[in-house]
Amino acid sequence: MSIEKLLKHLKKDRTVAGGTEAGELLNILADEAMRITDVLNNSYHSPEEIRRIFSELTGRQVDESFRMFPPFYTECGKNIHVGRNVFINFCCHFQDQGGVYIGDDVLIGSNVVMATINHDMDPEKRHLHHLEPIHIGSRVWIGANATILPGVTVGDGAIIAAGAVVNKDVPANTVVGGVPARVIKSI
């Protein structure tokens, strides 16, 4: 199975079992992501070099306005999609197997986690991986230490407060915060 076929499979059938062809390809992608992020994270790189390495990680060219402060962590990399003028601060972790889609003009604070993968609740089926994409709209600001859970869509112009755990969709032009996150106010 090719990476392209795997990504199409993940969009159609959002469950992957360990030991299957799709599960083994996810393991191969994780090994590749660890190799690439090791290069990214363990020495200084100019902004141009960071863009080149991140483009290798995702398998697609990022815009020249993209900016990142490593270290950065991911277990796949090939299902991260970023728009223009995106900034990712130190120590972020994207579990992107289900897809992380980031719009334009997005600011992502330090230590942000975007998790698109869950294990099955049934202990007998815990080997199953359930994947749901995360969609971040344009002009979004995500504060430090926020966690965004599988299947969440964050509307354009929203602000995610530092430390928030976002487990449901965020309306456009609102501020959310807390655990679990709730709307604090409209902008």
Side-chain angles (χ1 to χ4, degrees):
M1 177 181 291
S2 69
I3 293 171
E4 293 77 24
K5 277 189 173 182
L6 173 67
L7 295 176
K8 285 180 184 178
H9 168 78
L10 296 178
K11 283 184 178 181
K12 181 181 172 192
D13 179 5
R14 299 226 168 253
T15 300
V16 176
T20 63
E21 185 179 11
E24 289 305 313
L25 188 50
L26 283 178
N27 286 332
I28 291 168
L29 290 175
D31 286 343
E32 179 181 339
M34 286 187 285
R35 180 187 58 77
I36 295 169
T37 56
D38 183 63
V39 171
L40 178 67
N41 295 337
N42 289 306
S43 65
Y44 171 79
H45 299 285
S46 69
E48 295 79 21
E49 292 169 323
I50 290 170
R51 283 191 294 276
R52 181 189 55 76
I53 295 167
F54 195 80
S55 294
E56 179 185 358
L57 178 66
T58 64
R60 65 190 64 78
Q61 188 68 38
V62 294
D63 190 78
E64 66 182 35
S65 62
F66 175 81
R67 194 72 198 266
M68 171 189 280
F69 292 168
F72 176 81
Y73 305 96
T74 183
E75 291 133 27
C76 180
K78 299 299 187 234
N79 216 356
I80 299 172
H81 309 266
V82 296
R84 295 182 319 276
N85 200 33
V86 170
F87 173 71
I88 301 173
N89 214 328
F90 297 102
C91 298
C92 289
H93 187 141
F94 293 4
Q95 296 173 310
D96 63 293
Q97 294 91 331
V100 172
Y101 300 86
I102 301 170
D104 297 334
D105 305 307
V106 173
L107 301 172
I108 301 173
S110 297
N111 297 309
V112 167
V113 173
M114 294 196 200
T116 68
I117 189 168
N118 267 324
H119 292 281
D120 202 275
M121 297 288 285
D122 181 345
E124 300 300 318
K125 297 179 183 177
R126 197 74 33 95
H127 66 285
L128 295 176
H129 304 282
H130 301 293
L131 311 171
E132 291 294 331
I134 292 172
H135 294 271
I136 307 298
S138 294
R139 300 173 319 281
V140 170
W141 173 22
I142 303 172
N145 297 303
T147 299
I148 302 177
L149 297 177
V152 167
T153 295
V154 178
D156 292 344
I159 297 172
I160 309 298
V165 176
V166 184
N167 65 350
K168 60 184 176 183
D169 291 352
V170 175
N173 301 309
T174 60
V175 178
V176 300
V179 180
R182 61 178 179 72
V183 174
I184 296 170
K185 67 178 177 178
S186 294
I187 302 173

